[in-house]
Amino acid sequence: MHGEYKVPGGKLVVADLEVVGEVVRRARISGDFFLEPDDALERINGALSGVPVGASVAQIAARVRGVLGDGVEMLGFSPEAVAVAVRRAVTGATGWADHAWEYVHDVPREPALQMALDEVLAEQVGSGERAPTLRIWEWASNAVIVGSFQSLANEVDLAGAAKHDVTVVRRISGGGAMFVEPGNTITYSLYVPESLVSGLSYVDSYAFLDDWVVGALNELGIAATYQPINDITSPAGKIAGAAQKRFAGGAVLHHVTMAYDMDATKMLEVLRIGREKMSDKGTKSANKRVDPLRSQTGLERADVIDRLVGTFGARYGLADGTIDAGTVAEAERRVATKFGTEDWLTRVP
């Protein structure tokens, strides 16, 4: 059994296992990490011998940590990273390079249709109708997107939304509310098979799926880092928020909204929680605009997108994909029956 885990911001850890019955008989850990002293690797491999294939990451990491003792330096990885690589081996996880990725830079669409498309496209990946896909969204109108479990009344000032011509919709993933304006945000979705995140905890999968975009931002000169559980930030402030949805059919939806040039004053008139956060920070007024990507890169939005997509393609490969008329028709049907309905929007009043 073979499993790989690229530590977000760190090194690659590879686990090659010989399994007999339900127990690891022999293990070989390798990678581009740094480890001192040299014989610590033999101790790690020895600790993995006899591990039940059903052991958790915490249990495996504890075994590894127990044989290391004082004076061992692990640079770019950790006992937990070794454990994740082992779990990915025994669960048959796939790597990024095991998939043929497609890229869609979509046309502008109304908010409810965007919500429905996310569900349809993820289901298509789960059923094998569609290859794993990176989709860049374009918005046809202003929107607030509340998380699946958020209270509409607590999160959104509906009078403020009406004042600023903001459409309010609810997505299928959890997390917090997002404020978007066409041209001022960059939103993308990854539709991936569950096997890509097999062996990872829910929290670890966020960092794993965001690692490429953090790297792309670093290449643009932004000191971006992943902030658990679902944020990408920089010294100048938060850049992006991510959310996920797991599907019974074997797919994972991971979508991210990044601030390119946002009107913070308008946002605070629409999002109630935004006011709370500003108050908690002791901030009396918002800057007129929040523009971490524009100000930190000096690039036009289209150029930032090209650079981000270029990094993904260089790492994992990308072929042009499409969203056909049948897919759009199915999404429109779901707008009429679910995403565009008052029942869905107010499922948590």
PDB file of all heavy atoms in Angstrom, residues 269-309:
ATOM      1  N   GLU A 269     -23.266  47.446   5.944  1.00  0.00           N
ATOM      2  CA  GLU A 269     -24.683  47.802   5.932  1.00  0.00           C
ATOM      3  C   GLU A 269     -25.563  46.603   5.582  1.00  0.00           C
ATOM      4  O   GLU A 269     -26.779  46.654   5.765  1.00  0.00           O
ATOM      5  CB  GLU A 269     -24.936  48.937   4.939  1.00  0.00           C
ATOM      6  CG  GLU A 269     -24.316  50.260   5.366  1.00  0.00           C
ATOM      7  CD  GLU A 269     -24.642  51.389   4.408  1.00  0.00           C
ATOM      8  OE1 GLU A 269     -25.521  51.207   3.537  1.00  0.00           O
ATOM      9  OE2 GLU A 269     -24.017  52.457   4.522  1.00  0.00           O
ATOM     10  N   VAL A 270     -24.937  45.553   5.079  1.00  0.00           N
ATOM     11  CA  VAL A 270     -25.690  44.366   4.655  1.00  0.00           C
ATOM     12  C   VAL A 270     -25.511  43.199   5.622  1.00  0.00           C
ATOM     13  O   VAL A 270     -26.469  42.485   5.928  1.00  0.00           O
ATOM     14  CB  VAL A 270     -25.275  43.947   3.230  1.00  0.00           C
ATOM     15  CG1 VAL A 270     -25.984  42.670   2.811  1.00  0.00           C
ATOM     16  CG2 VAL A 270     -25.558  45.070   2.240  1.00  0.00           C
ATOM     17  N   LEU A 271     -24.297  43.000   6.123  1.00  0.00           N
ATOM     18  CA  LEU A 271     -24.006  41.879   7.013  1.00  0.00           C
ATOM     19  C   LEU A 271     -24.006  42.340   8.466  1.00  0.00           C
ATOM     20  O   LEU A 271     -23.184  43.160   8.859  1.00  0.00           O
ATOM     21  CB  LEU A 271     -22.650  41.265   6.683  1.00  0.00           C
ATOM     22  CG  LEU A 271     -22.520  40.507   5.358  1.00  0.00           C
ATOM     23  CD1 LEU A 271     -21.119  39.926   5.231  1.00  0.00           C
ATOM     24  CD2 LEU A 271     -23.563  39.417   5.239  1.00  0.00           C
ATOM     25  N   ARG A 272     -24.902  41.803   9.261  1.00  0.00           N
ATOM     26  CA  ARG A 272     -24.936  42.154  10.679  1.00  0.00           C
ATOM     27  C   ARG A 272     -23.683  41.647  11.400  1.00  0.00           C
ATOM     28  O   ARG A 272     -23.131  42.329  12.260  1.00  0.00           O
ATOM     29  CB  ARG A 272     -26.169  41.535  11.344  1.00  0.00           C
ATOM     30  CG  ARG A 272     -27.503  42.054  10.813  1.00  0.00           C
ATOM     31  CD  ARG A 272     -28.654  41.471  11.620  1.00  0.00           C
ATOM     32  NE  ARG A 272     -29.943  41.793  11.023  1.00  0.00           N
ATOM     33  CZ  ARG A 272     -30.582  42.955  11.202  1.00  0.00           C
ATOM     34  NH1 ARG A 272     -30.041  43.895  11.952  1.00  0.00           N
ATOM     35  NH2 ARG A 272     -31.757  43.157  10.629  1.00  0.00           N
ATOM     36  N   ILE A 273     -23.255  40.436  11.073  1.00  0.00           N
ATOM     37  CA  ILE A 273     -22.113  39.853  11.756  1.00  0.00           C
ATOM     38  C   ILE A 273     -20.860  40.664  11.495  1.00  0.00           C
ATOM     39  O   ILE A 273     -19.943  40.706  12.311  1.00  0.00           O
ATOM     40  CB  ILE A 273     -21.924  38.375  11.350  1.00  0.00           C
ATOM     41  CG1 ILE A 273     -21.026  37.640  12.358  1.00  0.00           C
ATOM     42  CG2 ILE A 273     -21.374  38.249   9.949  1.00  0.00           C
ATOM     43  CD1 ILE A 273     -21.621  37.510  13.724  1.00  0.00           C
ATOM     44  N   GLY A 274     -20.781  41.340  10.335  1.00  0.00           N
ATOM     45  CA  GLY A 274     -19.643  42.207  10.041  1.00  0.00           C
ATOM     46  C   GLY A 274     -19.526  43.327  11.061  1.00  0.00           C
ATOM     47  O   GLY A 274     -18.440  43.681  11.501  1.00  0.00           O
ATOM     48  N   ARG A 275     -20.653  43.891  11.468  1.00  0.00           N
ATOM     49  CA  ARG A 275     -20.654  44.951  12.471  1.00  0.00           C
ATOM     50  C   ARG A 275     -20.156  44.422  13.802  1.00  0.00           C
ATOM     51  O   ARG A 275     -19.403  45.088  14.519  1.00  0.00           O
ATOM     52  CB  ARG A 275     -22.072  45.511  12.637  1.00  0.00           C
ATOM     53  CG  ARG A 275     -22.664  46.052  11.349  1.00  0.00           C
ATOM     54  CD  ARG A 275     -24.149  46.336  11.520  1.00  0.00           C
ATOM     55  NE  ARG A 275     -24.806  46.420  10.212  1.00  0.00           N
ATOM     56  CZ  ARG A 275     -26.110  46.466  10.054  1.00  0.00           C
ATOM     57  NH1 ARG A 275     -26.916  46.437  11.110  1.00  0.00           N
ATOM     58  NH2 ARG A 275     -26.627  46.547   8.846  1.00  0.00           N
ATOM     59  N   GLU A 276     -20.584  43.201  14.147  1.00  0.00           N
ATOM     60  CA  GLU A 276     -20.154  42.600  15.402  1.00  0.00           C
ATOM     61  C   GLU A 276     -18.634  42.426  15.422  1.00  0.00           C
ATOM     62  O   GLU A 276     -17.972  42.724  16.407  1.00  0.00           O
ATOM     63  CB  GLU A 276     -20.826  41.235  15.581  1.00  0.00           C
ATOM     64  CG  GLU A 276     -22.342  41.264  15.606  1.00  0.00           C
ATOM     65  CD  GLU A 276     -22.886  41.583  16.989  1.00  0.00           C
ATOM     66  OE1 GLU A 276     -22.095  41.518  17.942  1.00  0.00           O
ATOM     67  OE2 GLU A 276     -24.075  41.899  17.094  1.00  0.00           O
ATOM     68  N   LYS A 277     -18.093  41.928  14.314  1.00  0.00           N
ATOM     69  CA  LYS A 277     -16.656  41.690  14.260  1.00  0.00           C
ATOM     70  C   LYS A 277     -15.886  42.991  14.355  1.00  0.00           C
ATOM     71  O   LYS A 277     -14.857  43.076  15.025  1.00  0.00           O
ATOM     72  CB  LYS A 277     -16.294  40.943  12.966  1.00  0.00           C
ATOM     73  CG  LYS A 277     -16.752  39.498  12.964  1.00  0.00           C
ATOM     74  CD  LYS A 277     -16.342  38.801  11.694  1.00  0.00           C
ATOM     75  CE  LYS A 277     -16.768  37.340  11.719  1.00  0.00           C
ATOM     76  NZ  LYS A 277     -16.439  36.633  10.471  1.00  0.00           N
ATOM     77  N   MET A 278     -16.368  44.027  13.665  1.00  0.00           N
ATOM     78  CA  MET A 278     -15.688  45.314  13.725  1.00  0.00           C
ATOM     79  C   MET A 278     -15.740  45.863  15.150  1.00  0.00           C
ATOM     80  O   MET A 278     -14.775  46.427  15.659  1.00  0.00           O
ATOM     81  CB  MET A 278     -16.347  46.304  12.760  1.00  0.00           C
ATOM     82  CG  MET A 278     -16.254  45.900  11.295  1.00  0.00           C
ATOM     83  SD  MET A 278     -14.572  45.850  10.669  1.00  0.00           S
ATOM     84  CE  MET A 278     -14.280  47.599  10.434  1.00  0.00           C
ATOM     85  N   SER A 279     -16.878  45.687  15.827  1.00  0.00           N
ATOM     86  CA  SER A 279     -17.032  46.153  17.197  1.00  0.00           C
ATOM     87  C   SER A 279     -16.082  45.417  18.135  1.00  0.00           C
ATOM     88  O   SER A 279     -15.460  46.006  19.015  1.00  0.00           O
ATOM     89  CB  SER A 279     -18.482  45.950  17.648  1.00  0.00           C
ATOM     90  OG  SER A 279     -18.627  46.273  19.010  1.00  0.00           O
ATOM     91  N   ASP A 280     -15.964  44.085  17.932  1.00  0.00           N
ATOM     92  CA  ASP A 280     -15.080  43.288  18.774  1.00  0.00           C
ATOM     93  C   ASP A 280     -13.633  43.757  18.667  1.00  0.00           C
ATOM     94  O   ASP A 280     -12.861  43.648  19.613  1.00  0.00           O
ATOM     95  CB  ASP A 280     -15.143  41.807  18.368  1.00  0.00           C
ATOM     96  CG  ASP A 280     -16.458  41.168  18.795  1.00  0.00           C
ATOM     97  OD1 ASP A 280     -17.173  41.775  19.607  1.00  0.00           O
ATOM     98  OD2 ASP A 280     -16.759  40.071  18.295  1.00  0.00           O
ATOM     99  N   LYS A 281     -13.264  44.250  17.485  1.00  0.00           N
ATOM    100  CA  LYS A 281     -11.894  44.696  17.270  1.00  0.00           C
ATOM    101  C   LYS A 281     -11.691  46.138  17.732  1.00  0.00           C
ATOM    102  O   LYS A 281     -10.603  46.690  17.595  1.00  0.00           O
ATOM    103  CB  LYS A 281     -11.523  44.580  15.780  1.00  0.00           C
ATOM    104  CG  LYS A 281     -11.537  43.158  15.250  1.00  0.00           C
ATOM    105  CD  LYS A 281     -11.204  43.150  13.774  1.00  0.00           C
ATOM    106  CE  LYS A 281     -11.437  41.815  13.121  1.00  0.00           C
ATOM    107  NZ  LYS A 281     -10.769  40.697  13.648  1.00  0.00           N
ATOM    108  N   GLY A 282     -12.753  46.760  18.251  1.00  0.00           N
ATOM    109  CA  GLY A 282     -12.638  48.137  18.700  1.00  0.00           C
ATOM    110  C   GLY A 282     -12.517  49.118  17.559  1.00  0.00           C
ATOM    111  O   GLY A 282     -12.023  50.238  17.731  1.00  0.00           O
ATOM    112  N   THR A 283     -12.978  48.733  16.365  1.00  0.00           N
ATOM    113  CA  THR A 283     -12.876  49.598  15.200  1.00  0.00           C
ATOM    114  C   THR A 283     -14.133  50.440  15.082  1.00  0.00           C
ATOM    115  O   THR A 283     -15.232  49.921  15.056  1.00  0.00           O
ATOM    116  CB  THR A 283     -12.702  48.743  13.921  1.00  0.00           C
ATOM    117  OG1 THR A 283     -11.572  47.899  14.110  1.00  0.00           O
ATOM    118  CG2 THR A 283     -12.481  49.627  12.712  1.00  0.00           C
ATOM    119  N   LYS A 284     -13.964  51.752  15.016  1.00  0.00           N
ATOM    120  CA  LYS A 284     -15.119  52.642  14.977  1.00  0.00           C
ATOM    121  C   LYS A 284     -15.686  52.803  13.574  1.00  0.00           C
ATOM    122  O   LYS A 284     -16.847  53.109  13.393  1.00  0.00           O
ATOM    123  CB  LYS A 284     -14.739  54.016  15.547  1.00  0.00           C
ATOM    124  CG  LYS A 284     -14.315  53.959  17.012  1.00  0.00           C
ATOM    125  CD  LYS A 284     -14.035  55.353  17.538  1.00  0.00           C
ATOM    126  CE  LYS A 284     -13.507  55.307  18.967  1.00  0.00           C
ATOM    127  NZ  LYS A 284     -14.414  54.684  19.904  1.00  0.00           N
ATOM    128  N   SER A 285     -14.872  52.626  12.567  1.00  0.00           N
ATOM    129  CA  SER A 285     -15.361  52.767  11.206  1.00  0.00           C
ATOM    130  C   SER A 285     -14.550  51.895  10.276  1.00  0.00           C
ATOM    131  O   SER A 285     -13.391  51.610  10.526  1.00  0.00           O
ATOM    132  CB  SER A 285     -15.271  54.233  10.740  1.00  0.00           C
ATOM    133  OG  SER A 285     -13.929  54.657  10.712  1.00  0.00           O
ATOM    134  N   ALA A 286     -15.179  51.477   9.195  1.00  0.00           N
ATOM    135  CA  ALA A 286     -14.495  50.628   8.222  1.00  0.00           C
ATOM    136  C   ALA A 286     -13.829  51.485   7.167  1.00  0.00           C
ATOM    137  O   ALA A 286     -14.274  52.581   6.856  1.00  0.00           O
ATOM    138  CB  ALA A 286     -15.508  49.702   7.542  1.00  0.00           C
ATOM    139  N   ASN A 287     -12.728  50.989   6.633  1.00  0.00           N
ATOM    140  CA  ASN A 287     -12.179  51.638   5.458  1.00  0.00           C
ATOM    141  C   ASN A 287     -13.191  51.530   4.332  1.00  0.00           C
ATOM    142  O   ASN A 287     -13.994  50.603   4.291  1.00  0.00           O
ATOM    143  CB  ASN A 287     -10.874  50.948   5.018  1.00  0.00           C
ATOM    144  CG  ASN A 287      -9.756  51.185   5.998  1.00  0.00           C
ATOM    145  OD1 ASN A 287      -9.718  52.209   6.661  1.00  0.00           O
ATOM    146  ND2 ASN A 287      -8.856  50.217   6.095  1.00  0.00           N
ATOM    147  N   LYS A 288     -13.135  52.484   3.416  1.00  0.00           N
ATOM    148  CA  LYS A 288     -14.107  52.463   2.329  1.00  0.00           C
ATOM    149  C   LYS A 288     -13.974  51.192   1.514  1.00  0.00           C
ATOM    150  O   LYS A 288     -14.959  50.622   1.060  1.00  0.00           O
ATOM    151  CB  LYS A 288     -13.941  53.696   1.440  1.00  0.00           C
ATOM    152  CG  LYS A 288     -15.012  53.790   0.362  1.00  0.00           C
ATOM    153  CD  LYS A 288     -14.838  55.046  -0.461  1.00  0.00           C
ATOM    154  CE  LYS A 288     -15.917  55.148  -1.535  1.00  0.00           C
ATOM    155  NZ  LYS A 288     -15.756  56.340  -2.379  1.00  0.00           N
ATOM    156  N   ARG A 289     -12.725  50.732   1.306  1.00  0.00           N
ATOM    157  CA  ARG A 289     -12.526  49.531   0.515  1.00  0.00           C
ATOM    158  C   ARG A 289     -11.522  48.613   1.206  1.00  0.00           C
ATOM    159  O   ARG A 289     -10.619  49.069   1.899  1.00  0.00           O
ATOM    160  CB  ARG A 289     -12.012  49.877  -0.892  1.00  0.00           C
ATOM    161  CG  ARG A 289     -12.895  50.852  -1.645  1.00  0.00           C
ATOM    162  CD  ARG A 289     -12.675  50.757  -3.143  1.00  0.00           C
ATOM    163  NE  ARG A 289     -13.316  49.599  -3.709  1.00  0.00           N
ATOM    164  CZ  ARG A 289     -14.601  49.514  -4.030  1.00  0.00           C
ATOM    165  NH1 ARG A 289     -15.393  50.537  -3.825  1.00  0.00           N
ATOM    166  NH2 ARG A 289     -15.107  48.415  -4.529  1.00  0.00           N
ATOM    167  N   VAL A 290     -11.734  47.319   1.026  1.00  0.00           N
ATOM    168  CA  VAL A 290     -10.790  46.306   1.483  1.00  0.00           C
ATOM    169  C   VAL A 290     -10.258  45.636   0.227  1.00  0.00           C
ATOM    170  O   VAL A 290     -11.012  45.001  -0.508  1.00  0.00           O
ATOM    171  CB  VAL A 290     -11.482  45.281   2.398  1.00  0.00           C
ATOM    172  CG1 VAL A 290     -10.488  44.205   2.834  1.00  0.00           C
ATOM    173  CG2 VAL A 290     -12.076  45.978   3.616  1.00  0.00           C
ATOM    174  N   ASP A 291      -8.968  45.781  -0.019  1.00  0.00           N
ATOM    175  CA  ASP A 291      -8.441  45.336  -1.320  1.00  0.00           C
ATOM    176  C   ASP A 291      -7.125  44.570  -1.175  1.00  0.00           C
ATOM    177  O   ASP A 291      -6.117  44.944  -1.764  1.00  0.00           O
ATOM    178  CB  ASP A 291      -8.254  46.536  -2.255  1.00  0.00           C
ATOM    179  CG  ASP A 291      -7.269  47.566  -1.703  1.00  0.00           C
ATOM    180  OD1 ASP A 291      -6.898  47.473  -0.510  1.00  0.00           O
ATOM    181  OD2 ASP A 291      -6.857  48.446  -2.471  1.00  0.00           O
ATOM    182  N   PRO A 292      -7.106  43.473  -0.419  1.00  0.00           N
ATOM    183  CA  PRO A 292      -5.832  42.783  -0.206  1.00  0.00           C
ATOM    184  C   PRO A 292      -5.172  42.273  -1.477  1.00  0.00           C
ATOM    185  O   PRO A 292      -3.957  42.355  -1.611  1.00  0.00           O
ATOM    186  CB  PRO A 292      -6.207  41.627   0.723  1.00  0.00           C
ATOM    187  CG  PRO A 292      -7.671  41.431   0.530  1.00  0.00           C
ATOM    188  CD  PRO A 292      -8.218  42.794   0.256  1.00  0.00           C
ATOM    189  N   LEU A 293      -5.944  41.755  -2.428  1.00  0.00           N
ATOM    190  CA  LEU A 293      -5.325  41.228  -3.648  1.00  0.00           C
ATOM    191  C   LEU A 293      -4.910  42.352  -4.592  1.00  0.00           C
ATOM    192  O   LEU A 293      -3.842  42.300  -5.194  1.00  0.00           O
ATOM    193  CB  LEU A 293      -6.287  40.272  -4.353  1.00  0.00           C
ATOM    194  CG  LEU A 293      -6.522  38.940  -3.641  1.00  0.00           C
ATOM    195  CD1 LEU A 293      -7.472  38.072  -4.440  1.00  0.00           C
ATOM    196  CD2 LEU A 293      -5.216  38.200  -3.403  1.00  0.00           C
ATOM    197  N   ARG A 294      -5.733  43.358  -4.721  1.00  0.00           N
ATOM    198  CA  ARG A 294      -5.383  44.454  -5.622  1.00  0.00           C
ATOM    199  C   ARG A 294      -4.180  45.230  -5.103  1.00  0.00           C
ATOM    200  O   ARG A 294      -3.219  45.477  -5.838  1.00  0.00           O
ATOM    201  CB  ARG A 294      -6.571  45.394  -5.807  1.00  0.00           C
ATOM    202  CG  ARG A 294      -6.336  46.430  -6.905  1.00  0.00           C
ATOM    203  CD  ARG A 294      -7.451  47.440  -6.991  1.00  0.00           C
ATOM    204  NE  ARG A 294      -7.470  48.305  -5.813  1.00  0.00           N
ATOM    205  CZ  ARG A 294      -8.092  49.483  -5.772  1.00  0.00           C
ATOM    206  NH1 ARG A 294      -8.765  49.918  -6.808  1.00  0.00           N
ATOM    207  NH2 ARG A 294      -8.083  50.200  -4.671  1.00  0.00           N
ATOM    208  N   SER A 295      -4.227  45.626  -3.830  1.00  0.00           N
ATOM    209  CA  SER A 295      -3.167  46.469  -3.294  1.00  0.00           C
ATOM    210  C   SER A 295      -1.848  45.715  -3.137  1.00  0.00           C
ATOM    211  O   SER A 295      -0.776  46.288  -3.336  1.00  0.00           O
ATOM    212  CB  SER A 295      -3.588  47.076  -1.955  1.00  0.00           C
ATOM    213  OG  SER A 295      -3.797  46.062  -0.988  1.00  0.00           O
ATOM    214  N   GLN A 296      -1.937  44.429  -2.785  1.00  0.00           N
ATOM    215  CA  GLN A 296      -0.701  43.687  -2.529  1.00  0.00           C
ATOM    216  C   GLN A 296      -0.040  43.144  -3.790  1.00  0.00           C
ATOM    217  O   GLN A 296       1.138  42.787  -3.759  1.00  0.00           O
ATOM    218  CB  GLN A 296      -0.974  42.542  -1.547  1.00  0.00           C
ATOM    219  CG  GLN A 296      -1.336  43.039  -0.154  1.00  0.00           C
ATOM    220  CD  GLN A 296      -1.453  41.913   0.849  1.00  0.00           C
ATOM    221  OE1 GLN A 296      -0.481  41.204   1.130  1.00  0.00           O
ATOM    222  NE2 GLN A 296      -2.639  41.719   1.399  1.00  0.00           N
ATOM    223  N   THR A 297      -0.807  43.051  -4.867  1.00  0.00           N
ATOM    224  CA  THR A 297      -0.203  42.556  -6.114  1.00  0.00           C
ATOM    225  C   THR A 297      -0.012  43.642  -7.161  1.00  0.00           C
ATOM    226  O   THR A 297       0.869  43.527  -8.016  1.00  0.00           O
ATOM    227  CB  THR A 297      -1.074  41.448  -6.742  1.00  0.00           C
ATOM    228  OG1 THR A 297      -2.328  42.006  -7.168  1.00  0.00           O
ATOM    229  CG2 THR A 297      -1.324  40.325  -5.758  1.00  0.00           C
ATOM    230  N   GLY A 298      -0.860  44.668  -7.127  1.00  0.00           N
ATOM    231  CA  GLY A 298      -0.827  45.691  -8.170  1.00  0.00           C
ATOM    232  C   GLY A 298      -1.340  45.188  -9.506  1.00  0.00           C
ATOM    233  O   GLY A 298      -1.184  45.861 -10.524  1.00  0.00           O
ATOM    234  N   LEU A 299      -1.989  44.027  -9.509  1.00  0.00           N
ATOM    235  CA  LEU A 299      -2.458  43.404 -10.749  1.00  0.00           C
ATOM    236  C   LEU A 299      -3.956  43.594 -10.922  1.00  0.00           C
ATOM    237  O   LEU A 299      -4.702  43.701  -9.956  1.00  0.00           O
ATOM    238  CB  LEU A 299      -2.164  41.909 -10.744  1.00  0.00           C
ATOM    239  CG  LEU A 299      -0.694  41.480 -10.704  1.00  0.00           C
ATOM    240  CD1 LEU A 299      -0.592  39.968 -10.552  1.00  0.00           C
ATOM    241  CD2 LEU A 299       0.038  41.943 -11.967  1.00  0.00           C
ATOM    242  N   GLU A 300      -4.394  43.614 -12.165  1.00  0.00           N
ATOM    243  CA  GLU A 300      -5.821  43.580 -12.446  1.00  0.00           C
ATOM    244  C   GLU A 300      -6.383  42.229 -12.030  1.00  0.00           C
ATOM    245  O   GLU A 300      -5.670  41.218 -11.977  1.00  0.00           O
ATOM    246  CB  GLU A 300      -6.063  43.801 -13.948  1.00  0.00           C
ATOM    247  CG  GLU A 300      -5.661  45.177 -14.455  1.00  0.00           C
ATOM    248  CD  GLU A 300      -6.467  46.290 -13.815  1.00  0.00           C
ATOM    249  OE1 GLU A 300      -7.700  46.105 -13.633  1.00  0.00           O
ATOM    250  OE2 GLU A 300      -5.874  47.328 -13.487  1.00  0.00           O
ATOM    251  N   ARG A 301      -7.685  42.217 -11.753  1.00  0.00           N
ATOM    252  CA  ARG A 301      -8.326  40.983 -11.296  1.00  0.00           C
ATOM    253  C   ARG A 301      -8.096  39.831 -12.277  1.00  0.00           C
ATOM    254  O   ARG A 301      -7.795  38.696 -11.870  1.00  0.00           O
ATOM    255  CB  ARG A 301      -9.826  41.231 -11.109  1.00  0.00           C
ATOM    256  CG  ARG A 301     -10.637  39.998 -10.704  1.00  0.00           C
ATOM    257  CD  ARG A 301     -12.085  40.376 -10.479  1.00  0.00           C
ATOM    258  NE  ARG A 301     -12.922  39.214 -10.193  1.00  0.00           N
ATOM    259  CZ  ARG A 301     -13.478  38.452 -11.127  1.00  0.00           C
ATOM    260  NH1 ARG A 301     -13.302  38.744 -12.423  1.00  0.00           N
ATOM    261  NH2 ARG A 301     -14.227  37.414 -10.787  1.00  0.00           N
ATOM    262  N   ALA A 302      -8.245  40.087 -13.570  1.00  0.00           N
ATOM    263  CA  ALA A 302      -8.072  39.030 -14.572  1.00  0.00           C
ATOM    264  C   ALA A 302      -6.658  38.466 -14.541  1.00  0.00           C
ATOM    265  O   ALA A 302      -6.453  37.255 -14.732  1.00  0.00           O
ATOM    266  CB  ALA A 302      -8.398  39.563 -15.966  1.00  0.00           C
ATOM    267  N   ASP A 303      -5.689  39.332 -14.274  1.00  0.00           N
ATOM    268  CA  ASP A 303      -4.295  38.872 -14.207  1.00  0.00           C
ATOM    269  C   ASP A 303      -4.067  38.011 -12.965  1.00  0.00           C
ATOM    270  O   ASP A 303      -3.318  37.021 -13.020  1.00  0.00           O
ATOM    271  CB  ASP A 303      -3.342  40.063 -14.199  1.00  0.00           C
ATOM    272  CG  ASP A 303      -3.372  40.843 -15.501  1.00  0.00           C
ATOM    273  OD1 ASP A 303      -3.601  40.219 -16.552  1.00  0.00           O
ATOM    274  OD2 ASP A 303      -3.180  42.070 -15.463  1.00  0.00           O
ATOM    275  N   VAL A 304      -4.689  38.387 -11.841  1.00  0.00           N
ATOM    276  CA  VAL A 304      -4.572  37.566 -10.636  1.00  0.00           C
ATOM    277  C   VAL A 304      -5.145  36.177 -10.901  1.00  0.00           C
ATOM    278  O   VAL A 304      -4.537  35.159 -10.555  1.00  0.00           O
ATOM    279  CB  VAL A 304      -5.291  38.223  -9.444  1.00  0.00           C
ATOM    280  CG1 VAL A 304      -5.282  37.287  -8.240  1.00  0.00           C
ATOM    281  CG2 VAL A 304      -4.633  39.552  -9.076  1.00  0.00           C
ATOM    282  N   ILE A 305      -6.320  36.126 -11.526  1.00  0.00           N
ATOM    283  CA  ILE A 305      -6.936  34.837 -11.846  1.00  0.00           C
ATOM    284  C   ILE A 305      -6.017  34.007 -12.732  1.00  0.00           C
ATOM    285  O   ILE A 305      -5.808  32.806 -12.485  1.00  0.00           O
ATOM    286  CB  ILE A 305      -8.305  35.039 -12.520  1.00  0.00           C
ATOM    287  CG1 ILE A 305      -9.311  35.611 -11.514  1.00  0.00           C
ATOM    288  CG2 ILE A 305      -8.829  33.726 -13.108  1.00  0.00           C
ATOM    289  CD1 ILE A 305     -10.625  36.024 -12.128  1.00  0.00           C
ATOM    290  N   ASP A 306      -5.459  34.626 -13.752  1.00  0.00           N
ATOM    291  CA  ASP A 306      -4.562  33.897 -14.659  1.00  0.00           C
ATOM    292  C   ASP A 306      -3.367  33.319 -13.904  1.00  0.00           C
ATOM    293  O   ASP A 306      -2.952  32.182 -14.169  1.00  0.00           O
ATOM    294  CB  ASP A 306      -4.070  34.825 -15.767  1.00  0.00           C
ATOM    295  CG  ASP A 306      -5.140  35.110 -16.813  1.00  0.00           C
ATOM    296  OD1 ASP A 306      -6.163  34.393 -16.835  1.00  0.00           O
ATOM    297  OD2 ASP A 306      -4.950  36.056 -17.609  1.00  0.00           O
ATOM    298  N   ARG A 307      -2.848  34.086 -12.963  1.00  0.00           N
ATOM    299  CA  ARG A 307      -1.685  33.614 -12.213  1.00  0.00           C
ATOM    300  C   ARG A 307      -2.069  32.462 -11.271  1.00  0.00           C
ATOM    301  O   ARG A 307      -1.319  31.492 -11.122  1.00  0.00           O
ATOM    302  CB  ARG A 307      -1.071  34.773 -11.428  1.00  0.00           C
ATOM    303  CG  ARG A 307      -0.501  35.897 -12.307  1.00  0.00           C
ATOM    304  CD  ARG A 307       0.847  35.538 -12.901  1.00  0.00           C
ATOM    305  NE  ARG A 307       1.881  35.496 -11.887  1.00  0.00           N
ATOM    306  CZ  ARG A 307       2.579  36.562 -11.475  1.00  0.00           C
ATOM    307  NH1 ARG A 307       2.324  37.766 -12.001  1.00  0.00           N
ATOM    308  NH2 ARG A 307       3.510  36.436 -10.563  1.00  0.00           N
ATOM    309  N   LEU A 308      -3.211  32.578 -10.640  1.00  0.00           N
ATOM    310  CA  LEU A 308      -3.666  31.509  -9.751  1.00  0.00           C
ATOM    311  C   LEU A 308      -3.879  30.210 -10.528  1.00  0.00           C
ATOM    312  O   LEU A 308      -3.411  29.135 -10.130  1.00  0.00           O
ATOM    313  CB  LEU A 308      -4.962  31.902  -9.047  1.00  0.00           C
ATOM    314  CG  LEU A 308      -4.927  33.116  -8.119  1.00  0.00           C
ATOM    315  CD1 LEU A 308      -6.314  33.349  -7.511  1.00  0.00           C
ATOM    316  CD2 LEU A 308      -3.891  32.945  -7.023  1.00  0.00           C
ATOM    317  N   VAL A 309      -4.606  30.320 -11.635  1.00  0.00           N
ATOM    318  CA  VAL A 309      -4.891  29.139 -12.456  1.00  0.00           C
ATOM    319  C   VAL A 309      -3.597  28.574 -13.030  1.00  0.00           C
ATOM    320  O   VAL A 309      -3.423  27.348 -13.129  1.00  0.00           O
ATOM    321  CB  VAL A 309      -5.887  29.494 -13.571  1.00  0.00           C
ATOM    322  CG1 VAL A 309      -6.070  28.320 -14.537  1.00  0.00           C
ATOM    323  CG2 VAL A 309      -7.238  29.881 -12.967  1.00  0.00           C
TER     324      VAL A 309
END
